[in-house]
């Protein structure tokens, strides 16, 4: 219900410039709602990528892909919407009612959504590695540029949040995705365990400066 400018201030997309007294675009606002060409003027290495790979044994071939290609904005908001729908399109949804309506969200949906959001909000957009989400018949995996800001063991245990992009985190939280409590990774591990699947693997690759999360759908 707010005017557009007031709305963008509230969600952290723009802020008042102390030098000029006028509102100016924040980096988070540009990444979330800008167009790819404009984003690259500030973040030259910015790239978001989704790939569906049909064969676990073949690591590079893909049958479906989303990258900025001039047919869509290329920003993080649209990347999340497009890639999340692709990631969960084949997930089974058991019949369950709540308040007379069918529940379409499952613990697996929640885990995959948390993984994608974490990949986006913790990425270092000055890095040269792309944000990448991959869907395979046997697993999902997610990569973001930048190393962890808390130890991996602490992230898995939860309770401590040190987000690299707090305004991006705020925008997702305002629409019900993610929080500031450091509970995202533990939730992923807990939901995966409930399916009796192999424990997720969160790791860092220091020499290339990226973080990787693997969610394998292998029954234990």
């Amino acid at each position: 219900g707010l005017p557009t400018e007031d709305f963008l201030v509230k969600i952290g997309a723009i802020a008042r410039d102390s030098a000029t007294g006028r509102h100016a675009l924040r980096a988070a606002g540009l990444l979330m709602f800008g167009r790819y060409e404009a984003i690259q003027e500030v973040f030259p290495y910015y790239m978001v990528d989704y790939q569906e790979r049909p064969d676990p044994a073949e690591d590079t071939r893909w049958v479906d892909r989303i990258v900025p290609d001039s047919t869509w904005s290329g920003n993080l908001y649209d990347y999340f919407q497009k890639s999340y729908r692709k990631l969960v399109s084949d997930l089974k949804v058991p019949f369950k009612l709540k308040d007379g309506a069918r529940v379409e969200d499952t613990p697996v949906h929640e885990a995959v959504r948390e993984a994608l959001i974490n990949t986006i909000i913790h990425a270092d957009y000055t890095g040269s590695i792309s944000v990448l989400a991959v869907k395979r018949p046997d697993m999902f995996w997610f990569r973001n540029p930048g190393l962890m800001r808390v130890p991996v063991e602490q992230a898995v245990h939860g309770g401590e949040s040190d987000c690299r992009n707090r305004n991006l985190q705020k925008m997702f939280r305002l629409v019900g995705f993610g929080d500031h409590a450091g509970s995202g990774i533990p939730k992923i591990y807990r939901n995966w365990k409930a399916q009796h699947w192999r424990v997720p693997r969160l790791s860092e690759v220091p020499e290339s400066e990226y973080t990787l999360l693997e969610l394998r759908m292998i029954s234990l």
Side-chain angles (χ1 to χ4, degrees):
L2 293 172
T4 300
E5 191 171 87
D6 292 344
F7 170 74
L8 293 173
V9 170
K10 284 282 189 183
I11 67 173
I14 63 176
R16 186 173 296 278
D17 187 330
S18 58
T20 64
R22 298 192 302 184
H23 284 125
L25 186 65
R26 288 180 181 267
L30 175 65
L31 289 164
M32 190 67 118
F33 301 119
R35 295 199 64 83
Y36 177 65
E37 298 79 9
I39 295 171
Q40 280 208 311
E41 290 182 17
V42 179
F43 301 98
Y45 300 112
Y46 172 86
M47 174 58 71
V48 288
D49 194 351
Y50 162 85
Q51 297 178 18
E52 182 176 346
R53 301 177 184 175
D55 187 355
E58 180 65 50
D59 202 35
T60 56
R61 192 167 63 90
W62 48 267
V63 293
D64 193 8
R65 192 179 189 191
I66 298 171
V67 291
D69 60 1
S70 79
T71 63
W72 61 289
S73 69
N75 62 40
L76 294 179
Y77 179 81
D78 287 336
Y79 172 70
F80 171 76
Q81 297 283 349
K82 286 175 169 290
S83 55
Y84 177 67
R85 285 195 293 266
K86 298 272 189 183
L87 285 164
V88 301
S89 61
D90 300 325
L91 292 180
K92 292 182 173 62
V93 180
F95 185 77
K96 181 181 178 181
L97 292 176
K98 182 178 181 180
D99 299 328
R102 183 175 179 180
V103 178
E104 299 287 348
D105 209 34
T106 71
V108 179
H109 286 75
E110 184 181 45
V112 171
R113 186 168 60 244
E114 285 284 345
L116 180 59
I117 291 170
N118 270 283
T119 301
I120 291 171
I121 67 175
H122 290 290
D124 178 1
Y125 291 100
T126 65
S128 58
I129 300 292
S130 65
V131 168
L132 175 62
V134 174
K135 176 183 179 180
R136 289 188 350 193
D138 63 325
M139 70 181 293
F140 302 94
W141 66 268
F142 303 85
R143 182 189 72 195
N144 65 264
L147 302 178
M148 301 282 293
R149 290 162 65 96
V150 299
V152 171
E153 296 77 13
Q154 179 62 49
V156 173
H157 181 266
E160 183 178 335
S161 177
D162 188 7
C163 182
R164 179 173 274 110
N165 302 293
R166 292 189 181 278
N167 280 313
L168 291 178
Q169 183 184 42
K170 176 183 178 180
M171 291 181 208
F172 278 111
R173 180 174 57 82
L174 287 171
V175 290
F177 301 142
D179 53 46
H180 287 274
S183 62
I185 296 296
K187 187 182 298 180
I188 293 168
Y189 274 65
R190 185 169 60 251
N191 289 10
W192 226 245
K193 182 179 180 180
Q195 307 302 311
H196 306 289
W197 286 338
R198 179 175 291 182
V199 177
R201 181 170 177 262
L202 178 65
S203 60
E204 298 177 291
V205 182
E207 59 272 18
S208 299
E209 296 191 349
Y210 67 80
T211 302
L212 187 66
L213 175 63
E214 301 177 15
L215 302 179
R216 294 184 180 272
M217 296 178 287
I218 298 176
S219 176
L220 300 178

